[in-house]
Amino acid sequence: MSRFFSGKYDKLVPYTPGEQPRILNLVKLNTNECPFPPSEKALQYAGEHTRPLNLYSDIEGVEVRRALAELCGLRPENLILGNGSDEILNFAFMAFCDEAHPAAFPDISYGFYPVFADLNRIPYTEIPLRTGFRVAPEDYYGLGRTIFIANPNAPTGLALTRAEAEEIVKRNPGNVVVIDEAYVDFGGESCIPLVEKYENLLVVQTFSKSRSMAGARLGFAAGSAALIRDLNTIKFSTNPYNVNSMTLALGLGVLMDEETTRKNCRTVMENRAYTVRELESLGFEVLPSAANFLFVRSDRIGGGELYEKLRARAVLVRHFDKERIKDYNRITVGTREQMDILLKNIREILEDMP
Ligand code: PMP
């Protein structure tokens, strides 16, 4: 830290993103990206429709919001775009949390929530997950706090039903409830249909997972027009041109090819079911996942050891050192070929165990 770094960040521990190493022929299953690139159709559209790059990008992302509004059954006023959904989550912490409205989220969830809270000096409570890593909706009723819930949750993959999430929103009428649906397209139930019913509901989604755009950075939030206006106040006070023109064009291209998105999600879900069966036959405990990743452990090998041994074989999964989950690894579901390489290596590692 330089002697110039503000003391207000004394205690800030930044988020640790999954590694992006340059290992030859790496099977990368550590950051829940989509294994398929954007479709040719989407890329071609982006190539032909990117606004001239000497001009600023469309500050309101009008066309993407219009297309999303149609997809979500909402109006463009209910939507805001972000430079990835991380940016929108940060905007939500800035807009809807303070000393009087502290934050609350599960103790095992997306690791960025406590970082955003600390960055913005917002007090927060971490609510312990119940047995089996379950988010118990009743733990969130009438909390008097701004609530952040990843649904499906990360890194567990477990999902609440829409009815369970709705009950949390309904029982916190005086506070904003943010439902982070980064992984919803792989089998979860979206709360977007509830947006018009609850003025305190904000649903955040991303183009990084099901829409193959992690590197292009595009996320969005859906909420009442009033909540979206608040987020826009933050956006226009930090970075009005937060989404660049290439990303806007690609986002529109991807939205015009929903068929490919649906097909890719179906393939990932099939590969997920296949990988679950194979891992279970090897004695792994696999949490029921509604996401594009699996959270797994085995009595035959520790979480850290499996992670290291896979890494040495150029297969990268995600391991968290946190006490309650250190026996586990989070494995992104990729192509069938990637899953077969993963499984082959796990079999060999287990065979080599004493
Ligand atoms: N929410 C959750 C639960 C995530 O796992 C991620 C991906 N790390 C994000 C939000 C942010 O994704 P992005 O910024 O790429 O939209």
Side-chain angles (χ1 to χ4, degrees):
M1 177 190 321
S2 81
R3 65 195 164 92
F4 307 106
F5 195 43
S6 168
K8 68 179 185 256
Y9 300 123
D10 264 359
K11 300 209 167 55
L12 184 65
V13 180
Y15 176 68
T16 314
E19 302 168 80
Q20 307 286 348
R22 291 172 193 273
I23 298 175
L24 201 65
N25 298 324
L26 178 72
V27 178
K28 191 172 180 304
L29 305 174
N30 70 328
T31 44
N32 301 341
E33 289 132 329
C34 181
F36 310 109
S39 71
E40 278 305 318
K41 219 158 128 183
L43 289 168
Q44 189 178 346
Y45 182 88
E48 289 166 4
H49 292 85
T50 297
R51 194 165 149 144
L53 292 175
N54 55 316
L55 305 179
Y56 281 110
S57 60
D58 175 7
I59 208 160
E60 292 178 341
V62 170
E63 289 174 291
V64 173
R65 280 171 50 241
R66 199 182 292 139
L68 270 177
E70 202 170 305
L71 187 72
C72 299
L74 293 169
R75 285 166 299 129
E77 309 86 276
N78 299 118
L79 295 160
I80 180 171
L81 306 181
N83 191 313
S85 58
D86 279 339
E87 183 182 54
I88 304 218
L89 290 167
N90 187 35
F91 287 172
F93 274 89
M94 292 170 83
F96 306 123
C97 302
D98 52 34
E99 290 279 336
H101 306 86
F105 37 81
D107 65 338
I108 294 167
S109 190
Y110 186 30
F112 226 139
Y113 301 153
V115 180
F116 287 138
D118 285 336
L119 175 68
N120 296 297
R121 306 218 269 173
I122 293 157
Y124 62 89
T125 307
E126 293 180 287
I127 308 213
L129 292 182
R130 299 283 190 98
T131 315
F133 300 118
R134 196 172 70 89
V135 171
E138 57 274 24
D139 291 346
Y140 298 82
Y141 295 166
L143 273 189
R145 291 166 177 270
T146 304
I147 295 171
F148 292 80
I149 291 187
N151 191 39
N153 196 13
T156 63
L158 268 55
L160 294 175
T161 63
R162 181 183 301 132
E164 287 173 321
E166 177 170 11
E167 211 49 37
I168 296 174
V169 177
K170 202 192 282 179
R171 306 269 200 135
N172 287 282
N175 290 89
V176 173
V177 176
V178 178
I179 306 287
D180 175 356
E181 297 188 346
Y183 301 104
V184 77
D185 294 327
F186 303 98
E189 282 186 336
S190 176
C191 285
I192 283 185
L194 303 176
V195 158
E196 290 195 303
K197 201 166 155 192
Y198 298 99
E199 59 173 9
N200 63 325
L201 168 64
L202 189 77
V203 180
V204 179
Q205 288 198 9
T206 179
F207 280 54
S208 294
K209 317 293 177 181
S210 58
R211 296 198 158 82
S212 304
M213 281 181 56
R217 315 300 303 128
L218 184 61
F220 69 95
S224 65
L227 289 187
I228 298 299
R229 270 198 302 277
D230 296 340
L231 291 173
N232 270 313
T233 301
I234 303 291
K235 163 179 143 145
F236 281 82
S237 307
T238 50
N239 185 12
Y241 302 103
N242 60 339
V243 184
N244 73 71
S245 301
M246 293 176 283
T247 295
L248 287 173
L250 183 58
L252 201 53
V254 165
L255 286 175
M256 286 173 175
D257 189 8
E258 265 297 287
E259 213 177 294
T260 297
T261 297
R262 295 298 134 209
K263 180 167 73 63
N264 288 346
C265 290
R266 276 199 304 277
T267 306
V268 167
M269 288 189 278
E270 284 162 17
N271 295 349
R272 180 178 69 201
Y274 165 72
T275 312
V276 171
R277 281 197 302 276
E278 295 296 312
L279 286 173
E280 285 180 343
S281 77
L282 292 171
F284 276 83
E285 178 199 326
V286 183
L287 264 57
S289 170
N292 66 338
F293 54 82
L294 295 169
F295 204 48
V296 310
R297 63 169 292 283
S298 165
D299 288 333
R300 299 167 68 184
I301 186 165
E305 189 179 1
L306 179 61
Y307 162 81
E308 289 294 349
K309 291 198 156 147
L310 282 171
R311 195 177 193 288
R313 291 159 170 262
V315 178
L316 197 57
V317 299
R318 187 93 199 254
H319 180 253
F320 299 90
D321 278 329
K322 208 169 175 168
E323 187 54 34
R324 271 178 83 189
I325 54 173
K326 67 179 179 12
D327 289 344
Y328 288 77
N329 277 293
R330 191 195 67 190
I331 304 175
T332 302
V333 177
T335 62
R336 176 70 183 250
E337 294 71 36
Q338 288 178 314
M339 296 294 99
D340 280 331
I341 296 173
L342 165 85
L343 291 163
K344 173 174 170 285
N345 279 286
I346 291 180
R347 277 189 208 103
E348 288 172 4
I349 289 167
L350 292 179
E351 276 161 19
D352 285 349
M353 295 293 287

